[in-house]
Amino acid sequence: YLLRVGARASYEPNSPSSSDSGFTLIEILFAGFVLAVAVLGMLSLITVGHGIARTADEMAMAKGAVSEKLEEIREFAEQDFFHLPDQYSGENAGFNVPVLKPPKGGSVDAPVGHVEIREATVGDPNLLDVRVTVRWWGVSGDRRIEYRTRLSPF
C-alpha cells in the first residue's frame, strides 16, 4: 500500500497495481507481427504499382513506334504507292524500338518491329493490307501489339 501525505489510503482489490501496468511480451510480439504484415503489404503494393507503370511505359513506346511507322508508310505511299510492298520487304520490313528488348529466344540484335504490306485479298485490287507489329520481352513477359489498316492510292 502506498501512502502519501494528506491522502487517504484506499485499497481496491480488482485494480491493477503498478507492477501489473504495461504490455506483456505476447502483446508486443502480436503488435510487431501486425506491423510487419502491414509493411510487407505496402511493399508488395509498391512493387506491383512499379510493374504496372513499367508495362504502361513499354506499351506507350510500342504504340508510339507503330504510329510513327504507319505515318512513314503513308508518306511513302503518297509519293510511290505501287512500290510500297517492295519498300517494306526483306530486311527493310524490320525496325527497332529503343529500350524494348526482343522476345525471349530471339537474337539480341533482332528488330522488335515488323511491317507487312501485301495486296488486299478482298475488294479493290488497288488496296493494300498493311500490318505493323511490335513484339518485345517486357516486365510482364512476352508482349505484342499489332495495328492493321488498308491503303489506297486515291
mmCIF file with all atom_site columns, all heavy atoms in Angstrom, residues 70-97:
data_model
loop_
_atom_site.group_PDB
_atom_site.id
_atom_site.type_symbol
_atom_site.label_atom_id
_atom_site.label_alt_id
_atom_site.label_comp_id
_atom_site.label_asym_id
_atom_site.label_entity_id
_atom_site.label_seq_id
_atom_site.pdbx_PDB_ins_code
_atom_site.Cartn_x
_atom_site.Cartn_y
_atom_site.Cartn_z
_atom_site.occupancy
_atom_site.B_iso_or_equiv
_atom_site.pdbx_formal_charge
_atom_site.auth_seq_id
_atom_site.auth_comp_id
_atom_site.auth_asym_id
_atom_site.auth_atom_id
_atom_site.pdbx_PDB_model_num
ATOM 1   N N   . LEU A 1 70 ? 3.532  3.781  -89.225  1.00 0.00 ? 70 LEU A N   1
ATOM 2   C CA  . LEU A 1 70 ? 2.369  3.946  -90.097  1.00 0.00 ? 70 LEU A CA  1
ATOM 3   C C   . LEU A 1 70 ? 2.396  5.300  -90.808  1.00 0.00 ? 70 LEU A C   1
ATOM 4   O O   . LEU A 1 70 ? 2.050  5.399  -91.997  1.00 0.00 ? 70 LEU A O   1
ATOM 5   C CB  . LEU A 1 70 ? 1.072  3.782  -89.305  1.00 0.00 ? 70 LEU A CB  1
ATOM 6   C CG  . LEU A 1 70 ? 0.698  2.360  -88.927  1.00 0.00 ? 70 LEU A CG  1
ATOM 7   C CD1 . LEU A 1 70 ? -0.492 2.355  -87.966  1.00 0.00 ? 70 LEU A CD1 1
ATOM 8   C CD2 . LEU A 1 70 ? 0.371  1.532  -90.170  1.00 0.00 ? 70 LEU A CD2 1
ATOM 9   N N   . GLU A 1 71 ? 2.810  6.321  -90.093  1.00 0.00 ? 71 GLU A N   1
ATOM 10  C CA  . GLU A 1 71 ? 2.907  7.654  -90.716  1.00 0.00 ? 71 GLU A CA  1
ATOM 11  C C   . GLU A 1 71 ? 3.975  7.650  -91.807  1.00 0.00 ? 71 GLU A C   1
ATOM 12  O O   . GLU A 1 71 ? 3.789  8.227  -92.881  1.00 0.00 ? 71 GLU A O   1
ATOM 13  C CB  . GLU A 1 71 ? 3.208  8.706  -89.662  1.00 0.00 ? 71 GLU A CB  1
ATOM 14  C CG  . GLU A 1 71 ? 3.143  10.129 -90.166  1.00 0.00 ? 71 GLU A CG  1
ATOM 15  C CD  . GLU A 1 71 ? 1.784  10.501 -90.745  1.00 0.00 ? 71 GLU A CD  1
ATOM 16  O OE1 . GLU A 1 71 ? 0.759  10.021 -90.231  1.00 0.00 ? 71 GLU A OE1 1
ATOM 17  O OE2 . GLU A 1 71 ? 1.742  11.266 -91.728  1.00 0.00 ? 71 GLU A OE2 1
ATOM 18  N N   . GLU A 1 72 ? 5.086  6.995  -91.556  1.00 0.00 ? 72 GLU A N   1
ATOM 19  C CA  . GLU A 1 72 ? 6.158  6.875  -92.557  1.00 0.00 ? 72 GLU A CA  1
ATOM 20  C C   . GLU A 1 72 ? 5.636  6.139  -93.802  1.00 0.00 ? 72 GLU A C   1
ATOM 21  O O   . GLU A 1 72 ? 5.909  6.546  -94.933  1.00 0.00 ? 72 GLU A O   1
ATOM 22  C CB  . GLU A 1 72 ? 7.327  6.111  -91.934  1.00 0.00 ? 72 GLU A CB  1
ATOM 23  C CG  . GLU A 1 72 ? 8.467  5.811  -92.881  1.00 0.00 ? 72 GLU A CG  1
ATOM 24  C CD  . GLU A 1 72 ? 9.512  4.938  -92.208  1.00 0.00 ? 72 GLU A CD  1
ATOM 25  O OE1 . GLU A 1 72 ? 9.968  5.280  -91.103  1.00 0.00 ? 72 GLU A OE1 1
ATOM 26  O OE2 . GLU A 1 72 ? 9.857  3.890  -92.786  1.00 0.00 ? 72 GLU A OE2 1
ATOM 27  N N   . ILE A 1 73 ? 4.869  5.088  -93.594  1.00 0.00 ? 73 ILE A N   1
ATOM 28  C CA  . ILE A 1 73 ? 4.313  4.314  -94.711  1.00 0.00 ? 73 ILE A CA  1
ATOM 29  C C   . ILE A 1 73 ? 3.328  5.172  -95.504  1.00 0.00 ? 73 ILE A C   1
ATOM 30  O O   . ILE A 1 73 ? 3.337  5.166  -96.745  1.00 0.00 ? 73 ILE A O   1
ATOM 31  C CB  . ILE A 1 73 ? 3.636  3.026  -94.188  1.00 0.00 ? 73 ILE A CB  1
ATOM 32  C CG1 . ILE A 1 73 ? 4.705  2.068  -93.649  1.00 0.00 ? 73 ILE A CG1 1
ATOM 33  C CG2 . ILE A 1 73 ? 2.792  2.361  -95.262  1.00 0.00 ? 73 ILE A CG2 1
ATOM 34  C CD1 . ILE A 1 73 ? 4.150  0.900  -92.858  1.00 0.00 ? 73 ILE A CD1 1
ATOM 35  N N   . ARG A 1 74 ? 2.492  5.931  -94.818  1.00 0.00 ? 74 ARG A N   1
ATOM 36  C CA  . ARG A 1 74 ? 1.524  6.806  -95.505  1.00 0.00 ? 74 ARG A CA  1
ATOM 37  C C   . ARG A 1 74 ? 2.245  7.865  -96.349  1.00 0.00 ? 74 ARG A C   1
ATOM 38  O O   . ARG A 1 74 ? 1.828  8.167  -97.476  1.00 0.00 ? 74 ARG A O   1
ATOM 39  C CB  . ARG A 1 74 ? 0.606  7.480  -94.492  1.00 0.00 ? 74 ARG A CB  1
ATOM 40  C CG  . ARG A 1 74 ? -0.460 6.565  -93.966  1.00 0.00 ? 74 ARG A CG  1
ATOM 41  C CD  . ARG A 1 74 ? -1.449 7.307  -93.069  1.00 0.00 ? 74 ARG A CD  1
ATOM 42  N NE  . ARG A 1 74 ? -2.304 6.359  -92.386  1.00 0.00 ? 74 ARG A NE  1
ATOM 43  C CZ  . ARG A 1 74 ? -2.222 6.051  -91.104  1.00 0.00 ? 74 ARG A CZ  1
ATOM 44  N NH1 . ARG A 1 74 ? -1.350 6.656  -90.328  1.00 0.00 ? 74 ARG A NH1 1
ATOM 45  N NH2 . ARG A 1 74 ? -3.023 5.152  -90.576  1.00 0.00 ? 74 ARG A NH2 1
ATOM 46  N N   . GLU A 1 75 ? 3.316  8.438  -95.792  1.00 0.00 ? 75 GLU A N   1
ATOM 47  C CA  . GLU A 1 75 ? 4.079  9.447  -96.542  1.00 0.00 ? 75 GLU A CA  1
ATOM 48  C C   . GLU A 1 75 ? 4.707  8.832  -97.790  1.00 0.00 ? 75 GLU A C   1
ATOM 49  O O   . GLU A 1 75 ? 4.697  9.433  -98.861  1.00 0.00 ? 75 GLU A O   1
ATOM 50  C CB  . GLU A 1 75 ? 5.146  10.072 -95.651  1.00 0.00 ? 75 GLU A CB  1
ATOM 51  C CG  . GLU A 1 75 ? 4.581  11.011 -94.608  1.00 0.00 ? 75 GLU A CG  1
ATOM 52  C CD  . GLU A 1 75 ? 5.649  11.535 -93.659  1.00 0.00 ? 75 GLU A CD  1
ATOM 53  O OE1 . GLU A 1 75 ? 6.856  11.282 -93.899  1.00 0.00 ? 75 GLU A OE1 1
ATOM 54  O OE2 . GLU A 1 75 ? 5.282  12.192 -92.669  1.00 0.00 ? 75 GLU A OE2 1
ATOM 55  N N   . PHE A 1 76 ? 5.278  7.635  -97.656  1.00 0.00 ? 76 PHE A N   1
ATOM 56  C CA  . PHE A 1 76 ? 5.869  6.970  -98.806  1.00 0.00 ? 76 PHE A CA  1
ATOM 57  C C   . PHE A 1 76 ? 4.791  6.625  -99.833  1.00 0.00 ? 76 PHE A C   1
ATOM 58  O O   . PHE A 1 76 ? 5.018  6.737  -101.044 1.00 0.00 ? 76 PHE A O   1
ATOM 59  C CB  . PHE A 1 76 ? 6.625  5.703  -98.382  1.00 0.00 ? 76 PHE A CB  1
ATOM 60  C CG  . PHE A 1 76 ? 7.397  5.079  -99.504  1.00 0.00 ? 76 PHE A CG  1
ATOM 61  C CD1 . PHE A 1 76 ? 8.673  5.513  -99.812  1.00 0.00 ? 76 PHE A CD1 1
ATOM 62  C CD2 . PHE A 1 76 ? 6.824  4.073  -100.282 1.00 0.00 ? 76 PHE A CD2 1
ATOM 63  C CE1 . PHE A 1 76 ? 9.373  4.953  -100.868 1.00 0.00 ? 76 PHE A CE1 1
ATOM 64  C CE2 . PHE A 1 76 ? 7.521  3.505  -101.335 1.00 0.00 ? 76 PHE A CE2 1
ATOM 65  C CZ  . PHE A 1 76 ? 8.805  3.945  -101.629 1.00 0.00 ? 76 PHE A CZ  1
ATOM 66  N N   . ALA A 1 77 ? 3.604  6.195  -99.358  1.00 0.00 ? 77 ALA A N   1
ATOM 67  C CA  . ALA A 1 77 ? 2.509  5.832  -100.257 1.00 0.00 ? 77 ALA A CA  1
ATOM 68  C C   . ALA A 1 77 ? 2.055  7.029  -101.090 1.00 0.00 ? 77 ALA A C   1
ATOM 69  O O   . ALA A 1 77 ? 1.661  6.855  -102.250 1.00 0.00 ? 77 ALA A O   1
ATOM 70  C CB  . ALA A 1 77 ? 1.337  5.261  -99.461  1.00 0.00 ? 77 ALA A CB  1
ATOM 71  N N   . GLU A 1 78 ? 2.106  8.214  -100.525 1.00 0.00 ? 78 GLU A N   1
ATOM 72  C CA  . GLU A 1 78 ? 1.721  9.414  -101.279 1.00 0.00 ? 78 GLU A CA  1
ATOM 73  C C   . GLU A 1 78 ? 2.672  9.662  -102.442 1.00 0.00 ? 78 GLU A C   1
ATOM 74  O O   . GLU A 1 78 ? 2.279  10.190 -103.469 1.00 0.00 ? 78 GLU A O   1
ATOM 75  C CB  . GLU A 1 78 ? 1.694  10.631 -100.357 1.00 0.00 ? 78 GLU A CB  1
ATOM 76  C CG  . GLU A 1 78 ? 0.529  10.634 -99.398  1.00 0.00 ? 78 GLU A CG  1
ATOM 77  C CD  . GLU A 1 78 ? 0.582  11.811 -98.423  1.00 0.00 ? 78 GLU A CD  1
ATOM 78  O OE1 . GLU A 1 78 ? 1.475  12.676 -98.559  1.00 0.00 ? 78 GLU A OE1 1
ATOM 79  O OE2 . GLU A 1 78 ? -0.265 11.860 -97.519  1.00 0.00 ? 78 GLU A OE2 1
ATOM 80  N N   . GLN A 1 79 ? 3.934  9.271  -102.293 1.00 0.00 ? 79 GLN A N   1
ATOM 81  C CA  . GLN A 1 79 ? 4.935  9.500  -103.337 1.00 0.00 ? 79 GLN A CA  1
ATOM 82  C C   . GLN A 1 79 ? 4.983  8.364  -104.355 1.00 0.00 ? 79 GLN A C   1
ATOM 83  O O   . GLN A 1 79 ? 5.080  8.599  -105.555 1.00 0.00 ? 79 GLN A O   1
ATOM 84  C CB  . GLN A 1 79 ? 6.321  9.671  -102.718 1.00 0.00 ? 79 GLN A CB  1
ATOM 85  C CG  . GLN A 1 79 ? 6.416  10.864 -101.806 1.00 0.00 ? 79 GLN A CG  1
ATOM 86  C CD  . GLN A 1 79 ? 7.715  10.853 -101.012 1.00 0.00 ? 79 GLN A CD  1
ATOM 87  O OE1 . GLN A 1 79 ? 8.598  10.052 -101.253 1.00 0.00 ? 79 GLN A OE1 1
ATOM 88  N NE2 . GLN A 1 79 ? 7.818  11.764 -100.057 1.00 0.00 ? 79 GLN A NE2 1
ATOM 89  N N   . ASP A 1 80 ? 4.924  7.110  -103.874 1.00 0.00 ? 80 ASP A N   1
ATOM 90  C CA  . ASP A 1 80 ? 5.095  5.973  -104.762 1.00 0.00 ? 80 ASP A CA  1
ATOM 91  C C   . ASP A 1 80 ? 4.297  4.774  -104.242 1.00 0.00 ? 80 ASP A C   1
ATOM 92  O O   . ASP A 1 80 ? 4.861  3.800  -103.750 1.00 0.00 ? 80 ASP A O   1
ATOM 93  C CB  . ASP A 1 80 ? 6.587  5.620  -104.863 1.00 0.00 ? 80 ASP A CB  1
ATOM 94  C CG  . ASP A 1 80 ? 6.884  4.684  -106.008 1.00 0.00 ? 80 ASP A CG  1
ATOM 95  O OD1 . ASP A 1 80 ? 5.942  4.305  -106.735 1.00 0.00 ? 80 ASP A OD1 1
ATOM 96  O OD2 . ASP A 1 80 ? 8.058  4.318  -106.173 1.00 0.00 ? 80 ASP A OD2 1
ATOM 97  N N   . PHE A 1 81 ? 2.995  4.841  -104.377 1.00 0.00 ? 81 PHE A N   1
ATOM 98  C CA  . PHE A 1 81 ? 2.108  3.846  -103.801 1.00 0.00 ? 81 PHE A CA  1
ATOM 99  C C   . PHE A 1 81 ? 2.389  2.430  -104.300 1.00 0.00 ? 81 PHE A C   1
ATOM 100 O O   . PHE A 1 81 ? 2.406  1.482  -103.532 1.00 0.00 ? 81 PHE A O   1
ATOM 101 C CB  . PHE A 1 81 ? 0.644  4.221  -104.092 1.00 0.00 ? 81 PHE A CB  1
ATOM 102 C CG  . PHE A 1 81 ? -0.336 3.234  -103.552 1.00 0.00 ? 81 PHE A CG  1
ATOM 103 C CD1 . PHE A 1 81 ? -0.718 3.283  -102.223 1.00 0.00 ? 81 PHE A CD1 1
ATOM 104 C CD2 . PHE A 1 81 ? -0.873 2.238  -104.362 1.00 0.00 ? 81 PHE A CD2 1
ATOM 105 C CE1 . PHE A 1 81 ? -1.621 2.371  -101.704 1.00 0.00 ? 81 PHE A CE1 1
ATOM 106 C CE2 . PHE A 1 81 ? -1.781 1.325  -103.858 1.00 0.00 ? 81 PHE A CE2 1
ATOM 107 C CZ  . PHE A 1 81 ? -2.156 1.389  -102.525 1.00 0.00 ? 81 PHE A CZ  1
ATOM 108 N N   . PHE A 1 82 ? 2.618  2.276  -105.600 1.00 0.00 ? 82 PHE A N   1
ATOM 109 C CA  . PHE A 1 82 ? 2.704  0.933  -106.169 1.00 0.00 ? 82 PHE A CA  1
ATOM 110 C C   . PHE A 1 82 ? 4.028  0.229  -105.858 1.00 0.00 ? 82 PHE A C   1
ATOM 111 O O   . PHE A 1 82 ? 4.150  -0.969 -106.082 1.00 0.00 ? 82 PHE A O   1
ATOM 112 C CB  . PHE A 1 82 ? 2.420  0.978  -107.675 1.00 0.00 ? 82 PHE A CB  1
ATOM 113 C CG  . PHE A 1 82 ? 1.004  1.395  -107.941 1.00 0.00 ? 82 PHE A CG  1
ATOM 114 C CD1 . PHE A 1 82 ? 0.693  2.682  -108.354 1.00 0.00 ? 82 PHE A CD1 1
ATOM 115 C CD2 . PHE A 1 82 ? -0.037 0.494  -107.742 1.00 0.00 ? 82 PHE A CD2 1
ATOM 116 C CE1 . PHE A 1 82 ? -0.618 3.061  -108.571 1.00 0.00 ? 82 PHE A CE1 1
ATOM 117 C CE2 . PHE A 1 82 ? -1.355 0.872  -107.959 1.00 0.00 ? 82 PHE A CE2 1
ATOM 118 C CZ  . PHE A 1 82 ? -1.640 2.158  -108.370 1.00 0.00 ? 82 PHE A CZ  1
ATOM 119 N N   . HIS A 1 83 ? 5.019  0.931  -105.351 1.00 0.00 ? 83 HIS A N   1
ATOM 120 C CA  . HIS A 1 83 ? 6.271  0.290  -104.930 1.00 0.00 ? 83 HIS A CA  1
ATOM 121 C C   . HIS A 1 83 ? 6.340  0.119  -103.400 1.00 0.00 ? 83 HIS A C   1
ATOM 122 O O   . HIS A 1 83 ? 7.370  -0.262 -102.862 1.00 0.00 ? 83 HIS A O   1
ATOM 123 C CB  . HIS A 1 83 ? 7.484  1.091  -105.416 1.00 0.00 ? 83 HIS A CB  1
ATOM 124 C CG  . HIS A 1 83 ? 7.687  0.964  -106.885 1.00 0.00 ? 83 HIS A CG  1
ATOM 125 N ND1 . HIS A 1 83 ? 7.310  1.947  -107.764 1.00 0.00 ? 83 HIS A ND1 1
ATOM 126 C CD2 . HIS A 1 83 ? 8.186  -0.056 -107.642 1.00 0.00 ? 83 HIS A CD2 1
ATOM 127 C CE1 . HIS A 1 83 ? 7.585  1.571  -108.986 1.00 0.00 ? 83 HIS A CE1 1
ATOM 128 N NE2 . HIS A 1 83 ? 8.110  0.346  -108.953 1.00 0.00 ? 83 HIS A NE2 1
ATOM 129 N N   . LEU A 1 84 ? 5.250  0.408  -102.751 1.00 0.00 ? 84 LEU A N   1
ATOM 130 C CA  . LEU A 1 84 ? 5.204  0.309  -101.294 1.00 0.00 ? 84 LEU A CA  1
ATOM 131 C C   . LEU A 1 84 ? 5.524  -1.100 -100.777 1.00 0.00 ? 84 LEU A C   1
ATOM 132 O O   . LEU A 1 84 ? 6.335  -1.243 -99.857  1.00 0.00 ? 84 LEU A O   1
ATOM 133 C CB  . LEU A 1 84 ? 3.833  0.783  -100.793 1.00 0.00 ? 84 LEU A CB  1
ATOM 134 C CG  . LEU A 1 84 ? 3.681  1.066  -99.310  1.00 0.00 ? 84 LEU A CG  1
ATOM 135 C CD1 . LEU A 1 84 ? 4.651  2.139  -98.855  1.00 0.00 ? 84 LEU A CD1 1
ATOM 136 C CD2 . LEU A 1 84 ? 2.263  1.505  -99.010  1.00 0.00 ? 84 LEU A CD2 1
ATOM 137 N N   . PRO A 1 85 ? 4.948  -2.165 -101.360 1.00 0.00 ? 85 PRO A N   1
ATOM 138 C CA  . PRO A 1 85 ? 5.290  -3.504 -100.854 1.00 0.00 ? 85 PRO A CA  1
ATOM 139 C C   . PRO A 1 85 ? 6.777  -3.839 -101.003 1.00 0.00 ? 85 PRO A C   1
ATOM 140 O O   . PRO A 1 85 ? 7.350  -4.511 -100.154 1.00 0.00 ? 85 PRO A O   1
ATOM 141 C CB  . PRO A 1 85 ? 4.436  -4.451 -101.711 1.00 0.00 ? 85 PRO A CB  1
ATOM 142 C CG  . PRO A 1 85 ? 3.283  -3.618 -102.156 1.00 0.00 ? 85 PRO A CG  1
ATOM 143 C CD  . PRO A 1 85 ? 3.860  -2.240 -102.339 1.00 0.00 ? 85 PRO A CD  1
ATOM 144 N N   . ASP A 1 86 ? 7.405  -3.348 -102.053 1.00 0.00 ? 86 ASP A N   1
ATOM 145 C CA  . ASP A 1 86 ? 8.846  -3.602 -102.245 1.00 0.00 ? 86 ASP A CA  1
ATOM 146 C C   . ASP A 1 86 ? 9.686  -2.824 -101.238 1.00 0.00 ? 86 ASP A C   1
ATOM 147 O O   . ASP A 1 86 ? 10.738 -3.290 -100.812 1.00 0.00 ? 86 ASP A O   1
ATOM 148 C CB  . ASP A 1 86 ? 9.270  -3.197 -103.667 1.00 0.00 ? 86 ASP A CB  1
ATOM 149 C CG  . ASP A 1 86 ? 8.530  -3.997 -104.730 1.00 0.00 ? 86 ASP A CG  1
ATOM 150 O OD1 . ASP A 1 86 ? 8.161  -5.149 -104.441 1.00 0.00 ? 86 ASP A OD1 1
ATOM 151 O OD2 . ASP A 1 86 ? 8.313  -3.451 -105.826 1.00 0.00 ? 86 ASP A OD2 1
ATOM 152 N N   . GLN A 1 87 ? 9.227  -1.627 -100.891 1.00 0.00 ? 87 GLN A N   1
ATOM 153 C CA  . GLN A 1 87 ? 9.975  -0.774 -99.955  1.00 0.00 ? 87 GLN A CA  1
ATOM 154 C C   . GLN A 1 87 ? 10.059 -1.400 -98.565  1.00 0.00 ? 87 GLN A C   1
ATOM 155 O O   . GLN A 1 87 ? 11.049 -1.238 -97.871  1.00 0.00 ? 87 GLN A O   1
ATOM 156 C CB  . GLN A 1 87 ? 9.305  0.609  -99.874  1.00 0.00 ? 87 GLN A CB  1
ATOM 157 C CG  . GLN A 1 87 ? 9.932  1.565  -98.893  1.00 0.00 ? 87 GLN A CG  1
ATOM 158 C CD  . GLN A 1 87 ? 11.324 1.997  -99.303  1.00 0.00 ? 87 GLN A CD  1
ATOM 159 O OE1 . GLN A 1 87 ? 11.705 1.928  -100.460 1.00 0.00 ? 87 GLN A OE1 1
ATOM 160 N NE2 . GLN A 1 87 ? 12.108 2.451  -98.330  1.00 0.00 ? 87 GLN A NE2 1
ATOM 161 N N   . TYR A 1 88 ? 9.035  -2.118 -98.166  1.00 0.00 ? 88 TYR A N   1
ATOM 162 C CA  . TYR A 1 88 ? 8.996  -2.710 -96.828  1.00 0.00 ? 88 TYR A CA  1
ATOM 163 C C   . TYR A 1 88 ? 8.973  -4.236 -96.909  1.00 0.00 ? 88 TYR A C   1
ATOM 164 O O   . TYR A 1 88 ? 8.085  -4.891 -96.394  1.00 0.00 ? 88 TYR A O   1
ATOM 165 C CB  . TYR A 1 88 ? 7.770  -2.201 -96.047  1.00 0.00 ? 88 TYR A CB  1
ATOM 166 C CG  . TYR A 1 88 ? 7.877  -0.735 -95.727  1.00 0.00 ? 88 TYR A CG  1
ATOM 167 C CD1 . TYR A 1 88 ? 7.283  0.214  -96.544  1.00 0.00 ? 88 TYR A CD1 1
ATOM 168 C CD2 . TYR A 1 88 ? 8.608  -0.296 -94.629  1.00 0.00 ? 88 TYR A CD2 1
ATOM 169 C CE1 . TYR A 1 88 ? 7.396  1.567  -96.268  1.00 0.00 ? 88 TYR A CE1 1
ATOM 170 C CE2 . TYR A 1 88 ? 8.730  1.045  -94.343  1.00 0.00 ? 88 TYR A CE2 1
ATOM 171 C CZ  . TYR A 1 88 ? 8.121  1.970  -95.166  1.00 0.00 ? 88 TYR A CZ  1
ATOM 172 O OH  . TYR A 1 88 ? 8.245  3.314  -94.889  1.00 0.00 ? 88 TYR A OH  1
ATOM 173 N N   . SER A 1 89 ? 9.963  -4.786 -97.568  1.00 0.00 ? 89 SER A N   1
ATOM 174 C CA  . SER A 1 89 ? 10.090 -6.241 -97.644  1.00 0.00 ? 89 SER A CA  1
ATOM 175 C C   . SER A 1 89 ? 11.526 -6.621 -97.281  1.00 0.00 ? 89 SER A C   1
ATOM 176 O O   . SER A 1 89 ? 12.426 -5.778 -97.270  1.00 0.00 ? 89 SER A O   1
ATOM 177 C CB  . SER A 1 89 ? 9.742  -6.745 -99.046  1.00 0.00 ? 89 SER A CB  1
ATOM 178 O OG  . SER A 1 89 ? 10.664 -6.228 -99.982  1.00 0.00 ? 89 SER A OG  1
ATOM 179 N N   . GLY A 1 90 ? 11.732 -7.874 -96.948  1.00 0.00 ? 90 GLY A N   1
ATOM 180 C CA  . GLY A 1 90 ? 13.073 -8.359 -96.605  1.00 0.00 ? 90 GLY A CA  1
ATOM 181 C C   . GLY A 1 90 ? 13.621 -7.664 -95.368  1.00 0.00 ? 90 GLY A C   1
ATOM 182 O O   . GLY A 1 90 ? 12.947 -7.557 -94.344  1.00 0.00 ? 90 GLY A O   1
ATOM 183 N N   . GLU A 1 91 ? 14.846 -7.179 -95.486  1.00 0.00 ? 91 GLU A N   1
ATOM 184 C CA  . GLU A 1 91 ? 15.500 -6.522 -94.344  1.00 0.00 ? 91 GLU A CA  1
ATOM 185 C C   . GLU A 1 91 ? 14.843 -5.195 -93.981  1.00 0.00 ? 91 GLU A C   1
ATOM 186 O O   . GLU A 1 91 ? 14.936 -4.735 -92.856  1.00 0.00 ? 91 GLU A O   1
ATOM 187 C CB  . GLU A 1 91 ? 16.990 -6.302 -94.640  1.00 0.00 ? 91 GLU A CB  1
ATOM 188 C CG  . GLU A 1 91 ? 17.782 -7.580 -94.684  1.00 0.00 ? 91 GLU A CG  1
ATOM 189 C CD  . GLU A 1 91 ? 19.252 -7.326 -94.931  1.00 0.00 ? 91 GLU A CD  1
ATOM 190 O OE1 . GLU A 1 91 ? 19.699 -6.168 -94.792  1.00 0.00 ? 91 GLU A OE1 1
ATOM 191 O OE2 . GLU A 1 91 ? 19.949 -8.292 -95.258  1.00 0.00 ? 91 GLU A OE2 1
ATOM 192 N N   . ASN A 1 92 ? 14.186 -4.576 -94.955  1.00 0.00 ? 92 ASN A N   1
ATOM 193 C CA  . ASN A 1 92 ? 13.521 -3.296 -94.696  1.00 0.00 ? 92 ASN A CA  1
ATOM 194 C C   . ASN A 1 92 ? 12.226 -3.456 -93.910  1.00 0.00 ? 92 ASN A C   1
ATOM 195 O O   . ASN A 1 92 ? 11.616 -2.477 -93.505  1.00 0.00 ? 92 ASN A O   1
ATOM 196 C CB  . ASN A 1 92 ? 13.225 -2.574 -96.008  1.00 0.00 ? 92 ASN A CB  1
ATOM 197 C CG  . ASN A 1 92 ? 14.486 -2.153 -96.727  1.00 0.00 ? 92 ASN A CG  1
ATOM 198 O OD1 . ASN A 1 92 ? 15.517 -1.946 -96.102  1.00 0.00 ? 92 ASN A OD1 1
ATOM 199 N ND2 . ASN A 1 92 ? 14.419 -2.057 -98.036  1.00 0.00 ? 92 ASN A ND2 1
ATOM 200 N N   . ALA A 1 93 ? 11.765 -4.695 -93.722  1.00 0.00 ? 93 ALA A N   1
ATOM 201 C CA  . ALA A 1 93 ? 10.497 -4.929 -93.030  1.00 0.00 ? 93 ALA A CA  1
ATOM 202 C C   . ALA A 1 93 ? 10.636 -4.766 -91.513  1.00 0.00 ? 93 ALA A C   1
ATOM 203 O O   . ALA A 1 93 ? 9.672  -4.484 -90.822  1.00 0.00 ? 93 ALA A O   1
ATOM 204 C CB  . ALA A 1 93 ? 9.965  -6.318 -93.345  1.00 0.00 ? 93 ALA A CB  1
ATOM 205 N N   . GLY A 1 94 ? 11.843 -4.957 -90.988  1.00 0.00 ? 94 GLY A N   1
ATOM 206 C CA  . GLY A 1 94 ? 12.043 -4.874 -89.540  1.00 0.00 ? 94 GLY A CA  1
ATOM 207 C C   . GLY A 1 94 ? 12.500 -3.499 -89.099  1.00 0.00 ? 94 GLY A C   1
ATOM 208 O O   . GLY A 1 94 ? 13.126 -2.758 -89.848  1.00 0.00 ? 94 GLY A O   1
ATOM 209 N N   . PHE A 1 95 ? 12.162 -3.148 -87.864  1.00 0.00 ? 95 PHE A N   1
ATOM 210 C CA  . PHE A 1 95 ? 12.634 -1.890 -87.279  1.00 0.00 ? 95 PHE A CA  1
ATOM 211 C C   . PHE A 1 95 ? 12.776 -2.057 -85.773  1.00 0.00 ? 95 PHE A C   1
ATOM 212 O O   . PHE A 1 95 ? 12.146 -2.920 -85.170  1.00 0.00 ? 95 PHE A O   1
ATOM 213 C CB  . PHE A 1 95 ? 11.697 -0.713 -87.624  1.00 0.00 ? 95 PHE A CB  1
ATOM 214 C CG  . PHE A 1 95 ? 10.300 -0.855 -87.087  1.00 0.00 ? 95 PHE A CG  1
ATOM 215 C CD1 . PHE A 1 95 ? 9.942  -0.269 -85.882  1.00 0.00 ? 95 PHE A CD1 1
ATOM 216 C CD2 . PHE A 1 95 ? 9.327  -1.555 -87.793  1.00 0.00 ? 95 PHE A CD2 1
ATOM 217 C CE1 . PHE A 1 95 ? 8.647  -0.384 -85.387  1.00 0.00 ? 95 PHE A CE1 1
ATOM 218 C CE2 . PHE A 1 95 ? 8.041  -1.674 -87.310  1.00 0.00 ? 95 PHE A CE2 1
ATOM 219 C CZ  . PHE A 1 95 ? 7.695  -1.098 -86.110  1.00 0.00 ? 95 PHE A CZ  1
ATOM 220 N N   . ASN A 1 96 ? 13.641 -1.261 -85.194  1.00 0.00 ? 96 ASN A N   1
ATOM 221 C CA  . ASN A 1 96 ? 13.892 -1.326 -83.751  1.00 0.00 ? 96 ASN A CA  1
ATOM 222 C C   . ASN A 1 96 ? 13.133 -0.237 -83.020  1.00 0.00 ? 96 ASN A C   1
ATOM 223 O O   . ASN A 1 96 ? 12.844 0.818  -83.578  1.00 0.00 ? 96 ASN A O   1
ATOM 224 C CB  . ASN A 1 96 ? 15.383 -1.204 -83.447  1.00 0.00 ? 96 ASN A CB  1
ATOM 225 C CG  . ASN A 1 96 ? 16.110 -2.493 -83.712  1.00 0.00 ? 96 ASN A CG  1
ATOM 226 O OD1 . ASN A 1 96 ? 15.638 -3.563 -83.330  1.00 0.00 ? 96 ASN A OD1 1
ATOM 227 N ND2 . ASN A 1 96 ? 17.242 -2.412 -84.369  1.00 0.00 ? 96 ASN A ND2 1
ATOM 228 N N   . VAL A 1 97 ? 12.851 -0.521 -81.779  1.00 0.00 ? 97 VAL A N   1
ATOM 229 C CA  . VAL A 1 97 ? 12.234 0.451  -80.886  1.00 0.00 ? 97 VAL A CA  1
ATOM 230 C C   . VAL A 1 97 ? 13.179 0.591  -79.694  1.00 0.00 ? 97 VAL A C   1
ATOM 231 O O   . VAL A 1 97 ? 13.446 -0.398 -79.020  1.00 0.00 ? 97 VAL A O   1
ATOM 232 C CB  . VAL A 1 97 ? 10.839 -0.010 -80.408  1.00 0.00 ? 97 VAL A CB  1
ATOM 233 C CG1 . VAL A 1 97 ? 10.222 1.014  -79.476  1.00 0.00 ? 97 VAL A CG1 1
ATOM 234 C CG2 . VAL A 1 97 ? 9.935  -0.286 -81.592  1.00 0.00 ? 97 VAL A CG2 1
#
